[in-house]
Amino acid sequence: MGRIWFDHPAKTWEEGLPIGNGRLGAMILGGTGTERIPLNQDSIWYGGPVCRDNPDARGNLEKVRALLLAGSIPEAEELLCLAFSGTPQSQRPYQSLGDLEIVYREPEGGLLGDAGNAGGQPLKEGDGYCRELDLNRGIVTEDFCDQGRKWRKEYLSSYPHGVILIRLQAERGGVCLNARLGRRRFYDHAGKLDESTIFMDGSLGAGGVSWKAALRAWQKGGTCQVIGEHLVIRNADEAVLCLACETSFYEPEYGRALTDRLDRARRDGWQEIKRRHMEDYQALFGNVSLSLGDARGQEPVDKTLARGAAEGFDGSFAETYFQYGRYLLIASSRPGSLPANLQGIWNDSMEPCWDSKYTININTEMNYWPAESCGLSECHLPLFDHLERMWKNGRETARHMYGCRGFVAHHNTDLWGDCAPQDIYVPATYWVMGAAWLCTHIWTHYLYTGDGDFLKKMYPILEDAVLFFHDFLIPVDGKLMTCPSVSPENTYLLPDGVCGCVGVGATADNEILRDLLEDYLKASQVLDKDTETVRETRSILEKIPELQIGRFGQIMEWREDYEEREPGHRHISHLYALYPSGQITTDKTPKLAQAARVTLERRLSHGGGHTGWSCAWIVNFFARLGDGDKALENLEKLWAKSTFPNLMDNHPMGAGYVFQIDGNLGAAAAIAEMLVQSDQDRVKLLPALPGKWSKGKVKGLRVAGGAEIALSWENGKLTECTVVSPRDMDMEFQYGTETTRCALKAGNSYRVFAPEQKA
């Protein structure tokens, strides 16, 4: 499809069309009479950095451990709430930048405020309406006709220029508007910056970020002036509105940086900015193409979604959803920006759910699952920049709270890289694996890029994540285990019916630890390091507990085979070993793979997968199990039950739903996993192709080692596969029961499993 469109202005924020350049984003709601454009800048977080490490944690750690080992779970959890919660308990929240508000007027003579010309009438609703996001260009357009006058609006957020641009065109001098910037009550100043520019500015609490945003206009025909805090345009054939925002987080001289950015945009003009935007955007977006069959026809996206939920979704919808996920990652995570948070960058609230932070017990990691496989490796980089911000804080938290060397983080972090526990929510707060899970992305990025300089730069952070567990793990029954330990964010029932959350050596901890330690050892080998820490790590790895199968034939989630309080819980952390890890595979560990399937079936039979991101994870699980039809069944469930009209992922909250981006990005990764899977040893072709996708082709998916894959298939059978590698390597390819090895030379194209080879 390549386009997402509506035949009406947005009635709610969830019908908006998002644009973004990593730092600066907007939700395009449209409107022919009035228009509100919610704005975001990625460093608009309330409050400054603060040390929240609980000073009583270290002195109570051994007491908590003794209680847990003695089976006194409620007492241990009470002490954790008192001694291990952050002080204060909450990190900083992400906030909306504010709104651009536009009122459109009928053409009139003179300027607003002239004697005899006060007012003017608001523009009436038009006909022939279309508001569209063109995924191939990264541009939103809005077209309509009002009283015989054609209107066109174009919206883009440029990464090269760092601005949002809106071009307004109307026949016969029809562009007449009043525009202003606002942030409800949460800004300090607003008004005139110069004759064609308005601004607003403010600060975000004691020690927090200071910021300034401005809107500049230039036009063809007609007039432009500033009156009060309004930008006023009359009788123009065309006008361009240019929005910029700078903050002290990025630029100490943010006011000067703002002016420089606006001046550059004005010099270059609409056409050059648009050209550079599309050139930059398409260099990423164009890396991957996907075709899954013919579309049934073009219709507004809300109608397509409703029809698909009732009648089933065609392959064309899957194509669009996949490419939309890639678009969202490009728009919310670019080099030099912050990483995508719970809402990417699109947040309409001053007090968003879960503060729209970085939730690092699955959600942030899920945001980056498609980065490498879907040709967006550079979009992964902001995550590593943020790991560097967290590193210093996490070293202090490890020392102050646990008396350990190295680097620790819990289940949330914020703008400032805070690593102390968040909330007083036992099933999540006292989890110590946040830095460990994030650090597994270091090896993943290296595996796909082969960037030795990157690995060398990140190696000290990876080593510190490992060092924490050298000191934190305790011996239990001949193994080394985490204690205290939780399985995010699930709870169990003790034999006496009491609910418990905390324990020793939860399964997900062991799985993440195994990957972390192995990644560190592989990185050490690449960098030719054989230190005492490396040797001790090898010894520790041998003592990490193995996966266990419970009485139902499921992967055990805790060290004990407890009853679950919520057997349909949204988190399925103990299947980390199946995905995103590769510790469980259908051919190398068939018993564990069967136990993973039982785990999934039990979860789903009790209502699991009822949130968008959880459903996206389940799609990835079934893809790894080679079950394409089950993967698609759950993908369609996500579309039907966990997707807003603008195709953004939703999450239940109270009586309603809120946007989270993780489901979009996790599902994009899952679609890629259904078509191609890889690790450093092999590549699987069409490992989980559903019957409904019997014909298709994909080009540009990446595999471990960085090679690009192009596949075509008909009647569910592979017809062609070509591979181009950026470096020399040997690679094993699997298709069904067939296996072949190729010695790939850098830059050459190879055909794998060609029809004549199989004949």
Side-chain angles (χ1 to χ4, degrees):
M1 290 164 59
R3 61 194 290 252
I4 297 170
W5 67 284
F6 290 88
D7 59 5
H8 59 270
K11 300 179 182 71
T12 65
W13 188 89
E14 291 79 15
E15 289 186 345
L17 296 173
I19 59 173
N21 62 21
R23 288 191 187 182
L24 193 59
M27 189 65 76
I28 307 305
L29 308 179
T32 61
T34 61
E35 181 174 13
R36 179 178 77 92
I37 303 177
L39 304 171
N40 293 102
Q41 205 272 1
D42 68 348
S43 61
I44 301 293
W45 293 63
Y46 182 81
V50 60
C51 177
R52 300 172 42 260
D53 298 337
N54 194 317
D56 293 314
R58 184 172 177 177
N60 283 284
L61 178 59
E62 294 308 319
K63 295 178 184 177
V64 167
R65 286 173 166 170
L67 288 168
L68 289 172
L69 291 169
S72 301
I73 306 299
E75 293 86 349
E77 292 180 356
E78 181 180 16
L79 185 54
L80 280 166
C81 290
L82 297 172
F84 285 80
S85 301
T87 53
Q89 73 178 68
S90 185
Q91 295 167 353
R92 301 309 195 181
Y94 180 57
Q95 295 186 327
S96 167
L97 170 59
D99 298 313
L100 169 56
E101 300 168 0
I102 306 174
V103 177
Y104 297 98
R105 301 286 185 175
E106 298 284 2
E108 61 184 33
L111 300 176
L112 182 66
D114 281 0
N117 259 312
Q121 297 301 310
L123 192 66
K124 298 174 183 177
E125 290 294 322
D127 57 13
Y129 185 91
C130 178
R131 180 169 48 93
E132 172 185 317
L133 168 60
D134 183 340
L135 292 173
N136 295 309
R137 300 190 305 155
I139 293 175
V140 171
T141 56
E142 186 181 21
D143 294 282
F144 56 91
C145 185
D146 181 79
Q147 297 183 9
R149 180 182 288 107
K150 291 182 179 179
W151 272 79
R152 163 156 278 224
K153 306 180 197 174
E154 295 176 85
Y155 309 78
L156 64 85
S157 186
S158 165
Y159 178 69
H161 282 81
V163 296
I164 288 174
L165 250 60
I166 306 167
R167 182 168 74 159
L168 310 162
Q169 295 173 294
E171 296 176 324
R172 303 188 305 279
V175 180
C176 300
L177 61 87
N178 305 337
R180 67 179 293 273
L181 296 169
R183 197 170 185 263
R184 298 156 219 183
R185 295 174 289 108
F186 303 98
Y187 61 116
D188 297 333
H189 307 100
K192 177 179 179 179
L193 194 62
D194 59 39
E195 295 301 326
S196 60
T197 312
I198 56 174
F199 81 97
M200 64 175 177
D201 67 17
S203 57
L204 298 167
V209 169
S210 296
W211 58 274
K212 189 172 187 176
L215 182 73
R216 175 170 290 176
W218 56 89
Q219 86 285 349
K220 292 181 180 178
T223 58
C224 173
Q225 68 174 358
V226 173
I227 303 177
E229 60 177 324
H230 289 82
L231 188 62
V232 179
I233 297 174
R234 290 292 179 268
N235 305 110
D237 297 307
E238 176 183 312
V240 177
L241 304 181
C242 177
L243 179 95
C245 178
E246 296 291 342
T247 75
S248 59
F249 180 80
Y250 290 116
E251 299 284 351
E253 298 294 329
Y254 60 93
R256 179 181 298 174
L258 178 74
T259 302
D260 290 346
R261 198 175 289 280
L262 290 170
D263 289 345
R264 181 192 174 204
R266 179 66 185 92
R267 285 193 305 269
D268 288 350
W270 165 261
Q271 293 296 343
E272 175 63 10
I273 294 173
K274 180 180 177 181
R275 183 190 70 78
R276 290 280 308 281
H277 160 73
M278 289 197 299
E279 181 182 74
D280 166 76
Y281 170 75
Q282 290 170 346
L284 286 171
F285 186 79
N287 284 340
V288 177
S289 62
L290 174 65
S291 174
L292 292 173
D294 298 329
R296 296 179 186 172
Q298 294 294 314
E299 61 184 350
V301 65
D302 50 341
K303 294 180 174 62
T304 300
L305 193 61
R307 178 175 54 77
E311 303 174 8
F313 295 89
D314 60 24
S316 178
F317 184 86
E319 294 169 30
T320 299
Y321 190 87
F322 169 76
Q323 294 289 27
Y324 187 49
R326 296 182 66 245
Y327 169 84
L328 291 173
L329 186 57
I330 294 169
S332 62
S333 185
R334 297 296 300 273
S337 78
L338 288 160
N341 62 43
L342 269 177
Q343 296 179 287
I345 50 174
W346 299 282
N347 160 45
D348 195 31
S349 176
M350 298 299 169
E351 296 183 281
C353 294
W354 305 287
D355 298 331
S356 196
K357 292 193 298 293
Y358 303 104
T359 302
I360 56 176
N361 65 5
I362 174 60
N363 312 86
T364 300
E365 290 87 353
M366 182 178 284
N367 286 354
Y368 288 92
W369 286 352
E372 302 297 339
S373 63
C374 295
L376 301 176
S377 186
E378 75 171 52
C379 295
H380 212 163
L381 297 177
L383 184 66
F384 304 117
D385 293 341
H386 201 63
L387 259 176
E388 291 188 77
R389 293 185 193 99
M390 295 170 63
W391 184 27
K392 179 181 177 181
N393 297 329
R395 286 168 62 95
E396 292 301 303
T397 299
R399 182 168 61 89
H400 290 156
M401 290 189 62
Y402 301 101
C404 294
R405 298 169 296 166
F407 165 34
V408 68
H410 296 81
H411 90 294
N412 269 265
T413 187
D414 63 6
L415 172 70
W416 306 107
D418 190 321
C419 292
Q422 163 71 26
D423 301 325
I424 304 177
Y425 177 47
V426 180
T429 299
Y430 312 107
W431 185 72
V432 295
M433 306 303 296
W437 194 342
L438 286 177
C439 282
T440 65
H441 284 245
I442 294 172
W443 180 256
T444 298
H445 184 69
Y446 171 76
L447 187 59
Y448 277 79
T449 65
D451 187 343
D453 290 338
F454 164 82
L455 188 63
K456 184 176 181 180
K457 175 184 176 183
M458 299 302 295
Y459 183 82
I461 300 176
L462 179 60
E463 183 168 71
D464 265 355
V466 169
L467 268 176
F468 173 78
F469 292 100
H470 279 222
D471 295 348
F472 182 77
L473 298 175
I474 63 171
V476 180
D477 298 333
K479 299 291 185 178
L480 290 175
M481 300 188 189
T482 51
C483 183
S485 172
V486 299
S487 185
E489 298 174 13
N490 206 1
T491 53
Y492 57 82
L493 293 174
L494 293 167
D496 60 3
V498 172
C499 177
C501 310
V502 184
V504 179
T507 297
D509 287 7
N510 300 328
E511 294 169 326
I512 294 169
L513 262 178
R514 187 169 291 109
D515 271 359
L516 175 72
L517 301 182
E518 288 182 351
D519 288 353
Y520 170 68
L521 292 174
K522 288 182 286 191
S524 299
Q525 184 175 6
V526 169
L527 298 175
D528 195 26
K529 295 180 180 291
D530 187 20
T531 63
E532 184 63 27
T533 301
V534 171
R535 291 188 287 273
E536 289 179 6
T537 301
R538 292 194 191 102
S539 176
I540 291 170
L541 181 60
E542 294 174 357
K543 298 178 182 178
I544 300 300
E546 299 297 326
L547 292 171
Q548 301 296 317
I549 296 176
R551 64 188 182 281
F552 300 112
Q554 88 287 7
I555 300 291
M556 283 172 50
E557 188 164 0
W558 293 276
R559 189 165 66 101
E560 304 290 337
D561 196 5
Y562 294 122
E563 290 282 354
E564 292 180 85
R565 186 183 180 214
E566 296 180 63
H569 199 271
R570 63 194 178 277
H571 282 262
I572 318 177
S573 304
H574 50 312
L575 292 193
Y576 167 95
L578 179 62
Y579 187 91
S581 183
Q583 296 171 38
I584 296 176
T585 65
T586 54
D587 55 348
K588 295 180 180 179
T589 59
K591 290 183 180 180
L592 292 177
Q594 176 58 29
R597 180 179 286 273
V598 171
T599 304
L600 285 172
E601 290 170 348
R602 283 179 53 79
R603 271 290 200 271
L604 289 168
S605 69
H606 289 89
H610 54 279
T611 71
W613 65 262
S614 179
C615 197
W617 203 356
I618 288 169
V619 180
N620 279 286
F621 289 146
F622 277 118
R624 284 289 175 91
L625 290 173
D627 193 335
D629 289 331
K630 277 300 226 183
L632 182 58
E633 176 186 321
N634 283 275
L635 194 56
E636 292 189 335
K637 174 184 172 183
L638 184 154
W639 295 334
K641 297 183 177 181
S642 298
T643 302
F644 283 124
N646 63 358
L647 301 191
M648 282 181 153
D649 171 66
N650 71 42
H651 188 288
M653 180 64 181
Y657 294 87
V658 297
F659 163 56
Q660 284 189 194
I661 201 172
D662 38 28
N664 289 99
L665 301 179
I671 291 170
E673 284 285 317
M674 293 162 75
L675 303 177
V676 177
Q677 295 174 18
S678 72
D679 56 32
Q680 63 189 57
D681 298 319
R682 59 183 173 173
V683 176
K684 294 183 178 182
L685 307 175
L686 302 181
L689 186 69
K692 286 177 67 173
W693 296 354
S694 61
K695 178 181 178 180
K697 57 185 177 181
V698 66
K699 182 179 180 181
L701 292 180
R702 268 60 169 181
V703 298
E708 296 182 28
I709 301 285
L711 301 177
S712 298
W713 64 94
E714 290 190 23
N715 300 317
K717 302 296 184 182
L718 182 70
T719 57
E720 186 172 7
C721 172
T722 60
V723 184
V724 179
S725 175
R727 60 188 67 86
D728 293 353
M729 67 175 73
D730 287 333
M731 187 171 290
E732 179 180 287
F733 293 87
Q734 293 183 358
Y735 173 60
T737 59
E738 299 178 67
T739 300
T740 187
R741 293 199 69 87
C742 289
L744 305 176
K745 297 295 182 181
N748 291 344
S749 178
Y750 295 84
R751 296 186 71 195
V752 182
F753 292 122
E756 60 268 23
Q757 291 176 317
K758 296 188 292 180

